[in-house]
């Protein structure tokens, strides 16, 4: 019988794109998600895209009994662990929620895996664990820094927990994937990022302005020591990230211990460059104004992704233009996120745009 990969947080933004990549590669998946930042509609659309039924359990990774039940009922041989809370701003206001969800949740998951002798894990980490980088581009071996918010600290704690786990028992094989700035959406326009409430990240904020839901974009800081005074980041397409997960899972078949890989393009773009590119590609003008620097922002960072290329055969294939086109298509087709009716809207939106 075919083994199953458990995808925690698989109804969310990166998890749903990765579930699609795994299914497309012929793998069996089971999604576990408590839907605190997602909805069933993303899974329905996955089923539409793949033409297969996606096994889904609504539940929480902190529910020990549920996890034991899942591991006993399904023939799981690996876990992709996306479930967690991810808002930097919220983590400052609600640190206990973040430590409980992210750290305790991961602890629970690892316990349940160990009890069921499932030792392969791919973990969603973040470039935030580097803190303010000493050297750019960032290489994995430079070591982690000091994350400046509770969210970042949960990611670093989990990385340390996973490292200790691998030292304690050689049967574990764990991939820690440090994402840079994920953006974009599946090219179908059917799945994408669907933030609950007010978005904080640059691209969701920018597209809110583009569709007229916000009057202008606030650019945090114009006096950084960068190419044009605004912050520089390494934006990476979510479909490339999904492919990175597939390759990391394959790599775990051949190696034990913990392995860390940066998933980024290796190219940095400033906030102003993103705005200008968006305007050039979509033809939509983005009104913006400068505001003081946002607390905790670093001036610039981008990845050295060569380790992922050497060891996984992975590199990002989609450029900034593709990322913007796919982000915009998702936004146009789904002005109400997953509450939108995609087929109808897609035809209207694309007629207007093309
Ligand atoms: P997301 O919020 O869209 O997805 C996370 C999913 O986990 C959601 O569907 C949510 O409902 C679920 N979830 C949260 N807590 C849970 C719990 N206790 N039990 C079960 N399900 C739970 O976020 P995303 O952007 O897809 O991020 C996925 C992972 O990648 C997260 O761990 C995030 O920290 C990490 N990450 C994201 C980014 C980014 O910018 N999007 C960057 C670096 C790392
Ligand atoms: C990018 C740039 C902002 C919004 C965050 C998390 C990180 C990871 C990815 C999860 C910055 C500027 C933004 C706006 C702006 N997430 N900006 N106006 O901060 O690099 O990374 O998401 O792991 O941990 O910290 O991404 O998209 O929020 O910001 O000027 O309205 O855009 O100041 O320079 P960031 P971002």
């Amino acid at each position: 019988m075919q083994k199953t990969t458990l995808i925690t947080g698989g109804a969310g933004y990166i998890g749903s794109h990765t579930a699609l990549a795994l299914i497309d590669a012929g793998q069996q998946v089971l999604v576990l998600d408590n839907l605190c930042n997602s909805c069933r509609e993303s899974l329905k659309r996955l089923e539409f895209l793949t033409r297969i039924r996606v096994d889904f359990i609504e539940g929480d990774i902190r529910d020990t009994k549920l996890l034991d039940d899942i591991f006993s009922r399904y023939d799981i041989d690996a876990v992709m662990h996306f479930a967690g809370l991810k808002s930097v701003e919220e983590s400052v206001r609600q640190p206990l929620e973040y430590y409980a969800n992210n750290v305790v949740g991961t602890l629970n998951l690892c316990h349940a895996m160990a009890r069921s002798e499932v030792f392969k894990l791919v973990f969603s980490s973040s470039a935030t664990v580097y803190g303010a980088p000493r050297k750019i581009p960032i290489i994995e071996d430079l070591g982690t820094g000091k994350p400046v918010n509770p969210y970042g600290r949960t990611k670093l704690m989990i990385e340390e927990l996973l490292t200790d786990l691998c030292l304690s028992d050689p049967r574990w094989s764990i991939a820690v994937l440090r994402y840079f700035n994920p953006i974009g959406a599946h090219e179908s326009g059917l799945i994408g990022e669907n933030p609950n409430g007010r978005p904080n990240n640059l691209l969701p904020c920018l597209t809110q302005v583009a569709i007229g839901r916000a009057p202008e974009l606030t650019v945090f800081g114009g006096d950084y020591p960068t190419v044009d005074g605004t912050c520089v980041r390494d934006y990476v397409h979510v479909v490339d990230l999904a492919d990175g997960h597939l390759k990391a899972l394959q790599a775990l078949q051949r190696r034990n211990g913990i392995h860390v890989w940066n998933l980024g393009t290796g190219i940095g773009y400033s906030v102003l460059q993103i705005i200008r590119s968006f305007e050039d590609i979509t033809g939509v003008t983005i009104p913006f104004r400068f505001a003081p620097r946002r607390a905790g922002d670093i001036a610039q960072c981008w990845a050295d992704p060569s380790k992922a290329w050497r060891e996984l055969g992975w590199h990002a294939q989609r450029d900034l233009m593709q990322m913007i086109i796919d982000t915009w298509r998702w936004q146009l087709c789904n002005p109400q996120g997953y509450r939108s009716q995609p087929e109808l809207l897609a035809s209207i939106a694309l007629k207007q745009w093309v």
Side-chain angles (χ1 to χ4, degrees):
M1 201 177 96
Q2 199 185 10
K3 301 273 190 191
T4 296
T5 300
L6 173 65
I7 307 184
T8 74
Y13 173 44
I14 305 170
S16 58
H17 287 81
T18 304
L20 178 58
L22 290 183
I23 295 168
D24 280 348
Q27 300 197 20
Q28 185 105 25
V29 305
L30 166 66
V31 170
L32 168 66
D33 200 304
N34 67 2
L35 304 181
C36 71
N37 196 37
S38 53
C39 56
R40 279 168 193 270
E41 180 65 19
S42 66
L43 299 172
K44 280 201 200 134
R45 295 195 188 181
L46 261 189
E47 291 180 333
F48 178 80
L49 284 167
T50 59
R51 304 278 172 211
I52 68 149
R53 197 174 67 82
V54 176
D55 282 336
F56 170 60
I57 293 172
E58 183 173 348
D60 198 296
I61 53 166
R62 289 166 295 175
D63 183 342
T64 306
K65 210 172 140 299
L66 173 69
L67 289 181
D68 283 340
D69 183 48
I70 290 173
F71 281 108
S72 66
R73 273 179 36 221
Y74 292 83
D75 193 9
I76 294 168
D77 76 334
V79 178
M80 293 227 176
H81 178 32
F82 297 93
L85 302 178
K86 65 164 180 176
S87 159
V88 169
E89 195 198 10
E90 193 180 55
S91 77
V92 175
R93 286 185 280 111
Q94 302 174 14
L96 292 182
E97 278 300 307
Y98 275 68
Y99 287 106
N101 245 288
N102 296 3
V103 181
V104 178
T106 304
L107 202 64
N108 254 7
L109 177 68
C110 292
H111 265 306
M113 289 175 70
R115 279 194 294 274
S116 305
E117 304 203 336
V118 174
F119 293 109
K120 277 190 205 71
L121 175 71
V122 179
F123 172 62
S124 296
S125 192
S126 165
T128 191
V129 299
Y130 291 115
R134 278 170 285 145
K135 209 165 151 250
I136 300 172
I138 299 176
I139 53 171
E140 294 86 344
D141 296 347
L142 256 189
T144 51
K146 251 184 139 347
V148 292
N149 53 66
Y151 166 74
R153 283 188 279 276
T154 67
K155 289 290 171 189
L156 187 53
M157 279 182 192
I158 296 167
E159 286 202 9
E160 287 169 346
L161 181 164
L162 297 177
T163 304
D164 288 338
L165 199 53
C166 286
L167 285 173
S168 74
D169 186 336
R171 287 175 298 174
W172 283 96
S173 44
I174 297 182
V176 168
L177 303 182
R178 293 183 182 150
Y179 315 152
F180 278 66
N181 287 60
I183 62 170
H186 188 255
E187 62 179 9
S188 63
L190 286 180
I191 56 171
E193 189 169 15
N194 186 38
N196 268 346
R198 205 170 48 87
N200 294 309
N201 291 118
L202 180 61
L203 261 290
C205 290
L206 190 153
T207 51
Q208 292 285 300
V209 176
I211 59 163
R213 213 180 280 158
E216 60 183 9
L217 179 73
T218 306
V219 176
F220 298 119
D223 58 350
Y224 285 98
T226 59
V227 57
D228 56 22
T230 63
C231 292
V232 173
R233 295 289 183 272
D234 182 338
Y235 297 92
V236 56
H237 198 296
V238 65
V239 175
D240 280 326
L241 276 190
D243 180 45
H245 286 72
L246 193 59
K247 294 211 159 76
L249 186 60
Q250 286 160 357
L252 291 188
Q253 312 295 336
R254 305 186 296 272
R255 57 182 92 205
N256 285 6
I258 189 159
H259 304 275
V260 178
W261 288 291
N262 283 341
L263 295 186
T265 63
I267 302 169
Y269 290 101
S270 75
V271 175
L272 289 182
Q273 286 170 338
I274 294 287
I275 297 173
R276 300 293 176 227
S277 304
F278 187 92
E279 291 182 329
D280 288 348
I281 291 164
T282 64
V284 178
T285 302
I286 302 295
F288 65 88
R289 70 175 170 84
F290 284 100
R293 293 179 177 195
R294 190 173 70 172
D297 273 344
I298 53 168
Q300 50 187 0
C301 86
W302 59 90
D304 177 337
S306 56
K307 188 172 180 229
W309 173 240
R310 276 194 318 275
E311 297 182 357
L312 304 178
W314 177 89
H315 67 270
Q317 296 183 357
R318 294 161 181 81
D319 61 10
L320 183 64
M321 183 188 238
Q322 195 63 51
M323 295 187 225
I324 288 176
I325 288 174
D326 291 338
T327 301
W328 190 223
R329 183 189 297 108
W330 159 251
Q331 179 66 63
L332 284 178
C333 295
N334 304 272
Q336 307 297 325
Y338 282 117
R339 281 174 293 145
S340 316
Q341 293 295 317
E343 284 87 351
L344 179 65
L345 288 162
S347 58
I348 299 167
L350 289 174
K351 252 185 233 145
Q352 281 172 353
W353 185 31
V354 178

